[in-house]
């Protein structure tokens, strides 16, 4: 039938149920945004496109439903780059729509022109450009399908002069791919290894959360073997936290129990994980990755199998289906060897770590450094980061969805939250962008309006997203709760400076005259300052009540001392040595033409 290109575009979105879009309005996409309301598509106009991309990521990760980012061609689209790469490493299937400068002007260096396909070449799982107006529906259908198949963002690039064209087109049905249960031989080999194991350990990654029934399938396998279950870095929601076999997260500021249990494994089943470096790097001074263990790695992307660790058996497939296949092929006596001792060891390690974590209040200095000691002396009555996290845990609802930004104080909290279900923990992932915490939790709340949500950010990272306070109080935007850890510094970089640069704090200090709670109030939101553990617990309890019952957004500034946790990258940093030497006397005046 005949229709306009924008009608065809929107009808494809409707056929796939994509009804939420994030970005900033622009002339290049107005022909389609004009018909969004009639189509049942909600456009969430954020304050910055980068935050809009994080909202889209948070929405899809919390709901499992695809969402869309779209903005003005050129600078509007370039602002999506960080968010799209973040979604790529978060394995989030998103639709990136990039209206392009008009075909007739491309190459002339015209207004808002940039090579948008080249720009996102390394950022997306799939990309395609519309070559002719009649192919709009066909290309869009394929791009959406590839985003789902590859579990990542996919880009459709369309010249802006292709809108408002009348075409004769049939709207194609969605292209669906069945997820693989893994190869017959590889699944059998994995079942044999696990059947013979004396100390099997399961490591769940994001693929378990993304897979339909992945958590339940891993739970059944773990219970059959009485194997402890660890989760990858920032994937605390990949196994029920209350389960006796849950050992906790590996990696930076993770669970010592998980590290000590996997260290003694003879077989590790890596389920739905690419084994990212932060899930295997040493923690608490412990080299916990079992060098001699047999490794079974399962991932939907064959390119990631064996990429970071030597693998004994690699299986390309869906986490839930592969786990079920392995379970069905286990020997009758699988898990019997050392079962009682293994269960006792899991319980003992978990108990010891829970007690140690409860007792941890302050961050330790490395030998030869004294920053944390000085920080405690400077503000003896202020909360430490761990005191703040304990206060938060006292008030955080069990069913809440939380987001975490990148940075020192959010990372210190990595060992604290656990969950009863998946799609509850939104973290920025291995691209590590600042400014993720607030917009991600806004996207999650849009997708899950009946669930309490709480975002977390350090004050440095929050400064990158603070402009969203001007957007999220409008109209039908839902209420959220945001906690900002306020210590007036870029903490991760400051810890690096204490260790390797002799306390030479270049660019690490923030303005102590700025009040984020004050900015929130100026934006018509609630702004609260909490200076003690009791005040923080009370503030969070009230903020969640106001969020759920009164539709109020609250920003809580948690005032904490300047203690600094373990550095992110001991493996990548070393103390520099001066050779030629640097002097201000060598600076010459610049010649101005």
């Amino acid at each position: 039938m005949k229709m306009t290109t924008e009608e065809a575009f929107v009808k494809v979105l409707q056929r796939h149920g994509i009804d939420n879009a994030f970005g900033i309005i622009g002339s290049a996409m107005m022909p389609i945004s004009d018909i969004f309301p009639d189509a049942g598509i909600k456009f969430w106009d954020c304050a910055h496109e980068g935050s809009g991309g994080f909202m889209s990521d948070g929405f899809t990760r919390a709901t499992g439903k695809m969402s869309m980012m779209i903005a003005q061609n050129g600078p509007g689209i370039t602002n999506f780059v960080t968010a799209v790469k973040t979604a790529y490493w978060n394995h989030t299937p998103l639709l990136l729509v990039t209206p392009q400068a008009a075909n007739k002007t491309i190459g002339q260096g015209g207004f808002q022109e940039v090579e948008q396909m080249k720009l996102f070449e390394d950022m997306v799982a799939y990309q395609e450009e519309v070559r002719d107006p009649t192919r709009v529906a066909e290309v869009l259908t394929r791009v959406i399908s590839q985003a789902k198949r590859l579990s990542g963002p996919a880009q459709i690039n369309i010249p802006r002069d292709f809108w408002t064209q009348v075409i004769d087109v049939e709207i194609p049905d969605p292209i669906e791919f069945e997820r693989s249960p893994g190869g017959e031989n590889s699944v059998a080999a994995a079942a044999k290894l696990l059947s013979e194991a004396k100390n099997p350990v399961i490591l769940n990654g994001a693929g378990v959360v993304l897979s339909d029934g992945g958590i339940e399938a891993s739970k059944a396998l773990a219970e059959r073997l009485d194997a402890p279950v660890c989760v990858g870095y920032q994937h605390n929601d990949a196994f029920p936290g209350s389960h006796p076999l849950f050992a906790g997260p590996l990696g930076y500021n993770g669970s010592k129990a998980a590290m000590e249990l996997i260290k003694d494994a003879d077989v590790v089943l890596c389920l739905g994980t690419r084994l990212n470096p932060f899930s295997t790097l040493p923690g608490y001074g412990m080299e916990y990755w079992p060098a001699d263990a047999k490794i079974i790695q399962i991932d939907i992307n064959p390119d990631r199998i064996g990429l970071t660790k030597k693998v004994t058996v690699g299986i390309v497939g869906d986490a839930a289906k592969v786990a079920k296949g392995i379970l069905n092929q286990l020997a009758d006596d699988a898990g019997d060897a050392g079962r009682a001792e293994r269960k006792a060891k899991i319980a003992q390690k978990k108990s010891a770590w829970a007690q140690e974590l409860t007792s941890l209040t302050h961050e330790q200095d490395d030998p030869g450094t004294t920053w944390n000691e000085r920080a405690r002396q400077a503000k003896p009555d202020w909360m430490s980061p761990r005191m703040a996290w304990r206060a938060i845990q006292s008030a955080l609802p069990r069913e809440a969805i939380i987001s975490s930004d990148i940075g020192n104080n959010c990372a210190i909290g990595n060992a604290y939250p656990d969950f009863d279900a998946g799609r509850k923990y939104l973290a920025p992932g291995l691209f590590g962008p600042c400014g993720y915490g607030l917009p991600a939790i806004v996207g999650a709340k849009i997708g899950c309006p009946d669930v309490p949500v709480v975002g977390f950010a350090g004050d440095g990272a929050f400064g990158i997203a603070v402009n969203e306070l001007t957007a999220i109080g409008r109209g039908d935007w839902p209420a959220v709760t945001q906690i900002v850890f306020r210590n007036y510094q870029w903490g991760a970089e400051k810890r690096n400076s204490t260790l390797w640069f002799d306390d030479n704090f270049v660019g690490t200090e923030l303005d102590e005259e700025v009040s984020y709670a004050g900015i929130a109030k100026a934006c018509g939101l609630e702004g609260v300052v909490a200076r003690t553990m009791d005040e923080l617990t009370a503030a969070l309890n009230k903020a969640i009540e106001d969020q759920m019952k009164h539709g109020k957004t609250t920003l809580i500034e948690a005032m904490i001392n300047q203690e600094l946790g373990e550095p992110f990258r001991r493996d990548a940093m070393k103390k520099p040595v001066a050779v030629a030497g640097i002097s201000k006397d060598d600076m010459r005046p610049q010649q101005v033409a």
Side-chain angles (χ1 to χ4, degrees), residues 40 49 64 75 107 115 223 358 434 437 439 443 455 555 566:
E49 293 92 348
E115 288 277 9
E223 290 173 347
T358 301
C434 291
L555 182 145
E566 179 73 9

Side-chain angles (χ1 to χ4, degrees), residues 145-198:
S145 173
Q146 293 287 24
K148 292 180 178 180
R149 183 180 74 85
L150 298 169
S151 197
Q155 175 193 10
I156 180 171
N157 199 64
I158 180 166
R160 61 181 295 167
D161 52 351
F162 281 6
W163 300 128
T164 65
Q165 304 294 311
V166 177
I167 58 174
D168 195 353
V169 65
E170 178 182 353
I171 303 301
D173 290 328
I175 304 169
E176 301 290 346
F177 293 94
E178 184 178 3
R179 292 285 180 94
S180 168
E184 180 181 343
N185 294 333
S186 57
V187 170
K192 185 174 187 297
L193 283 177
L194 287 167
S195 295
E196 296 170 352
K198 293 181 173 60

Side-chain angles (χ1 to χ4, degrees), residues 54 58 61 389 396 400-406 410 417 419 424-428 435-444 452-457 480-483 485:
F54 291 147
R61 290 177 70 185
W389 274 107
L396 195 64
I401 299 172
I402 72 170
S403 70
S404 173
D405 221 305
I406 197 73
C410 286
F419 307 89
K424 293 289 188 179
Y425 187 37
L426 310 178
Y436 181 85
L438 174 62
I441 210 63
V442 171
V453 303
V454 183
F456 297 95
V480 302
T481 301
Q482 175 71 33
I483 293 178
F485 298 110

Side-chain angles (χ1 to χ4, degrees), residues 10-150:
V10 167
K11 286 180 182 295
V12 171
L13 295 179
Q14 290 178 311
R15 188 72 63 92
H16 289 83
I18 298 174
D19 56 1
N20 282 272
F22 299 85
I24 293 181
I25 199 70
S27 62
M29 37 85 76
M30 277 185 167
I32 58 166
S33 62
D34 175 61
I35 55 178
F36 279 175
D38 289 341
I41 297 171
K42 173 65 177 177
F43 181 69
W44 300 94
D45 48 333
C46 54
H48 187 279
E49 293 92 348
S51 292
F54 291 147
M55 290 179 192
S56 185
D57 184 72
F59 174 93
T60 294
R61 290 177 70 185
T63 63
K65 300 175 182 177
M66 278 190 71
S67 55
M68 172 174 61
M69 340 174 192
I70 186 169
Q72 176 67 3
N73 65 269
I77 296 304
T78 62
N79 281 344
F80 277 137
V81 167
T82 297
V84 172
K85 190 63 174 183
T86 300
Y88 177 85
W89 285 122
N90 283 338
H91 321 291
T92 309
L94 298 177
L95 174 61
L96 171 63
V97 181
T98 57
Q100 175 66 281
N103 256 340
K104 63 182 179 182
T105 65
I106 287 177
Q108 294 180 341
F111 184 59
Q112 296 182 322
E113 180 184 339
V114 68
E115 288 277 9
Q116 293 176 177
M117 290 291 280
K118 288 183 180 178
L119 183 70
F120 288 97
E121 189 174 51
D122 185 47
M123 308 289 163
V124 296
Y126 181 81
Q127 61 178 180
E128 190 169 345
E129 188 166 49
V130 178
R131 300 292 186 182
D132 184 272
T134 62
R135 297 184 60 193
V136 165
E138 167 220 333
V139 173
L140 179 57
T141 298
R142 184 163 48 253
V143 168
I144 293 171
S145 173
Q146 293 287 24
K148 292 180 178 180
R149 183 180 74 85
L150 298 169

Side-chain angles (χ1 to χ4, degrees), residues 233 252-254 284 357 360-363 384-387 389 404 407-417 487 495 560 563-566 568:
Y233 178 68
Y252 182 68
N253 274 322
Y284 306 106
L357 186 61
L360 292 176
T361 298
H362 296 292
E363 302 308 304
S384 70
R386 291 187 185 275
M387 291 167 67
W389 274 107
S404 173
N408 188 264
N409 291 308
C410 286
I412 285 172
N414 188 40
Y416 291 87
N487 60 3
R495 184 64 194 260
I560 60 177
E563 290 181 53
L564 300 168
E566 179 73 9
F568 280 104

Side-chain angles (χ1 to χ4, degrees), residues 161-459:
D161 52 351
F162 281 6
W163 300 128
T164 65
Q165 304 294 311
V166 177
I167 58 174
D168 195 353
V169 65
E170 178 182 353
I171 303 301
D173 290 328
I175 304 169
E176 301 290 346
F177 293 94
E178 184 178 3
R179 292 285 180 94
S180 168
E184 180 181 343
N185 294 333
S186 57
V187 170
K192 185 174 187 297
L193 283 177
L194 287 167
S195 295
E196 296 170 352
K198 293 181 173 60
N199 287 302
V201 173
I202 297 172
L203 171 55
N204 281 2
V208 175
V209 177
L210 297 172
S211 172
D212 184 20
I215 293 175
E216 283 302 311
S218 72
K219 181 178 163 185
L221 190 55
E223 290 173 347
R224 175 73 172 79
L225 297 168
D226 275 315
V229 181
C230 309
V231 293
Y233 178 68
Q234 296 186 341
H235 298 305
N236 299 38
D237 59 348
F239 199 77
S242 58
H243 198 284
L245 293 174
F246 180 60
L250 295 175
Y252 182 68
N253 274 322
S255 162
K256 275 191 182 179
M259 296 174 193
E260 289 172 346
L261 289 165
I262 201 170
K263 179 167 62 72
D264 296 331
D266 56 353
V267 177
V268 181
L269 176 67
C270 305
L271 189 58
T273 172
R274 63 186 180 91
L275 291 176
N276 71 67
F278 263 47
S279 295
T280 59
L281 285 174
Y284 306 106
M286 188 191 319
E287 292 272 3
Y288 57 82
W289 189 257
D292 298 326
K294 293 180 172 62
I295 306 297
I296 304 163
Q297 186 182 2
I298 297 146
D299 198 287
I300 61 168
N301 187 340
D303 295 338
R304 292 174 183 157
I305 294 177
L307 186 63
T308 62
K309 295 295 178 185
K310 182 180 178 182
V311 170
T312 309
V313 177
I315 304 176
V316 181
D318 173 79
K321 292 185 175 183
V322 174
K324 291 174 183 176
I326 292 173
L327 178 63
N328 291 335
Q329 294 194 47
L330 290 176
D332 291 342
D333 61 350
D336 288 350
R339 187 183 294 271
E341 294 87 346
R342 191 163 58 252
K343 291 173 69 175
K345 183 177 180 181
I346 295 168
Q348 183 271 321
K349 294 294 185 185
K350 288 183 64 175
S351 176
W353 171 237
Q355 291 179 46
E356 182 178 350
L357 186 61
T358 301
S359 70
L360 292 176
T361 298
H362 296 292
E363 302 308 304
Q364 300 304 307
D365 284 305
D366 276 48
T369 67
T370 61
W371 176 261
N372 286 329
E373 180 184 351
R374 284 179 280 156
R376 289 190 289 273
Q377 291 172 352
K379 292 183 171 63
D381 298 328
W382 287 40
M383 287 183 287
S384 70
R386 291 187 185 275
M387 291 167 67
W389 274 107
R390 288 210 297 269
I392 288 162
Q393 290 299 108
S394 298
L396 195 64
R398 189 72 189 162
E399 73 277 16
I401 299 172
I402 72 170
S403 70
S404 173
D405 221 305
I406 197 73
N408 188 264
N409 291 308
C410 286
I412 285 172
N414 188 40
Y416 291 87
D418 62 72
F419 307 89
D420 295 327
R423 300 191 180 278
K424 293 289 188 179
Y425 187 37
L426 310 178
L430 264 289
F431 195 53
C434 291
Y436 181 85
L438 174 62
I441 210 63
V442 171
K445 185 67 175 183
I446 288 169
C448 305
D450 299 325
V451 179
V453 303
V454 183
F456 297 95
D459 48 6

